[in-house]
Amino acid sequence: MVTAAVPAGAGGFEDPPAEVLAEAAAAFGLLASSARLHIVWVLAQGESDVTGLAERVGGALPAVSQHLTKLKLAGLVRSRREGRRQVYFVDDSDVVTVVRLMLGQLTDRAAHAPARRVRDITA
């Protein structure tokens, strides 16, 4: 489907097509889970199997496996077989960039103004 360009807004940027906004919302929705966000963060540091991920993120093996399935279906994570193990890795470097940027910014803010939290603002 071809989408017509939308006139530039106040900042001089064109609004993204509805399909792009929907796809971005779906990706952010997946990352809205702190467990999935933590999994992506860990995998951004390097590959891991489900047992290593469960230990690192402090989750139960079945729950981590379910989160990985959702991330794989969305195309954010892939896996490959190494003998009897499935090794997981991030398949989208742009998502890693966004996750690192967001977590880095929030970590910096927390260090300088611990009373201000995003969840307090959105509640």
Side-chain angles (χ1 to χ4, degrees), residues 30-45:
L30 275 171
L31 296 174
S33 159
S34 60
R36 285 191 292 273
L37 186 59
H38 197 175
I39 289 167
V40 171
W41 173 262
V42 170
L43 291 177
Q45 314 312 309

Side-chain angles (χ1 to χ4, degrees), residues 103-114:
L103 294 177
Q105 288 291 330
L106 292 176
T107 300
D108 288 347
R109 284 185 192 168
H112 295 98

Side-chain angles (χ1 to χ4, degrees), residues 77-96:
V77 168
R78 284 189 20 205
S79 66
R80 72 172 186 287
R81 186 160 295 286
E82 280 188 3
R84 297 175 62 176
R85 297 180 337 142
Q86 283 286 106
V87 177
Y88 295 88
F89 55 96
V90 177
D91 192 37
D92 190 332
S93 62
D94 293 332
V95 169
V96 170

Side-chain angles (χ1 to χ4, degrees), residues 1-15:
M1 176 178 170
V2 176
T3 306
V6 179
F13 296 100
E14 292 184 8
D15 290 340

